[in-house]
């Protein structure tokens, strides 16, 4: 990417491999439009190798510690959409742990995309809420801690934000994109399918709230 930071170009080369056994695949419909759908696959916790250079700065990913994910989708969407999505991955107590949480996009009454992955094995979760704090005017306070819960008592996490990558595009109020992709760390506990408790601390990830009209 030319002139990514002032006059400095950004060069990135990353190889993702060692895909885990399980991944998340869902085909989401829309209740108000029978022709709309979104087919999506997310592979969480792949090994990441490579690095990036920007001017004099060079960073190489640790081939043992570095992880990445693939988010691939195709579909026909409706005009006005909102979604909440969070993903995280890292090493916790000797295990590779990944999270994929989301809601708000399409009609998910039949199924959701909420899963936790431990060493590549998926554990299905129920419906979630990100618990984004709000101010007196009802607007989200994205850089305050979020309290993420599910409807089955299996997920309780605190997301501590560090950076809000925000974007607000509005073209004649017809093409609109309001985005908050927040990066931070997760801590708390998750009950797995075998009723054991997975504790996480300092798990790096991102959580976003997006509203698009186009």
């Amino acid at each position: 990417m030319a002139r990514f930071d002032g006059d400095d170009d950004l060069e990135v080369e990353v190889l993702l491999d060692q895909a885990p056994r399980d991944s998340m695949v869902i085909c989401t419909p829309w209740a108000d439009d029978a022709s709309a759908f979104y087919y999506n696959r997310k592979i969480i916790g792949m090994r990441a190798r490579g690095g990036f250079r920007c001017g004099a700065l060079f960073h190489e990913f640790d081939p043992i510690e570095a992880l990445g994910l693939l988010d691939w989708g195709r579909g026909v969407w409706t005009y006005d959409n909102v979604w909440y999505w969070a993903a995280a991955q890292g090493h916790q107590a000797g295990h590779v742990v990944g999270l994929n949480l989301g809601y708000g996009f399409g009609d998910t009454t039949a199924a959701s995309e909420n899963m936790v992955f431990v060493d590549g094995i998926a554990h299905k979760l129920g419906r979630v809420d990100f618990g984004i704090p709000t101010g007196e005017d009802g607007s989200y306070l994205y850089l305050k801690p979020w309290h993420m819960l599910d409807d089955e008592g299996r997920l309780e996490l605190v997301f501590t934000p560090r950076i809000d990558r925000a974007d607000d595009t509005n073209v004649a109020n017809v093409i609109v994109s309001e985005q908050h992709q927040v990066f931070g760390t997760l801590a708390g506990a998750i009950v797995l399918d075998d009723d054991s408790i997975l504790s996480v601390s300092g798990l790096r990830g991102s959580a976003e709230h997006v509203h698009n009209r186009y």
Side-chain angles (χ1 to χ4, degrees):
M1 180 179 290
R3 296 184 298 277
F4 175 79
D5 185 13
D7 293 329
D8 292 332
D9 298 344
L10 175 66
E11 302 174 51
V12 181
E13 184 173 355
V14 181
L15 173 67
L16 297 177
D17 65 1
Q18 292 191 358
R21 190 196 77 174
D22 294 341
S23 60
M24 193 290 301
V25 180
I26 191 170
C27 189
T28 304
W30 268 259
D32 55 345
D33 187 343
S35 64
F37 73 96
Y38 182 50
Y39 179 82
N40 183 215
R41 184 183 187 191
K42 294 187 174 81
I43 306 176
I44 309 289
M46 302 176 73
R47 182 176 65 176
R49 293 184 290 175
F52 68 86
R53 182 187 304 277
C54 186
L57 174 65
F58 174 75
H59 178 78
E60 184 175 6
F61 297 121
D62 185 326
I64 297 176
E65 294 294 326
L67 300 168
L69 64 89
L70 175 68
D71 178 11
W72 182 94
R74 292 292 185 272
V76 177
W77 302 1
T78 54
Y79 168 66
D80 193 330
N81 288 287
V82 175
W83 71 74
Y84 300 80
W85 177 48
Q89 55 205 332
H91 296 268
Q92 298 278 306
H95 300 282
V96 175
V97 173
L99 277 171
N100 185 76
L101 306 173
Y103 61 99
F105 192 57
D107 180 5
T108 58
T109 55
S112 75
E113 62 177 290
N114 302 315
M115 292 183 175
V116 57
F117 301 89
V118 181
D119 295 326
I121 307 301
H123 300 258
K124 189 69 178 71
L125 300 173
R127 303 190 181 284
V128 301
D129 184 90
F130 284 1
I132 310 173
T134 57
E136 292 183 359
D137 61 354
S139 62
Y140 284 138
L141 304 176
Y142 292 102
L143 291 176
K144 298 291 186 180
W146 305 15
H147 194 192
M148 298 180 171
L149 300 171
D150 76 322
D151 63 350
E152 298 176 343
R154 295 180 54 186
L155 176 80
E156 185 169 1
L157 297 173
V158 173
F159 176 61
T160 302
R162 303 297 184 194
I163 299 172
D164 179 11
R165 188 197 66 81
D167 184 50
D168 189 354
T169 299
N170 191 321
V171 180
N173 209 35
V174 175
I175 299 175
V176 177
S177 184
E178 303 171 77
Q179 304 178 20
H180 289 269
Q181 184 182 37
V182 184
F183 296 86
T185 56
L186 289 149
I190 306 165
V191 179
L192 303 180
D193 287 346
D194 62 1
D195 292 329
S196 63
I197 298 176
L198 171 69
S199 297
V200 299
S201 178
L203 183 66
R204 293 188 179 94
S206 64
E208 65 186 37
H209 171 221
V210 175
H211 178 204
N212 287 331
R213 296 205 307 269
Y214 56 70

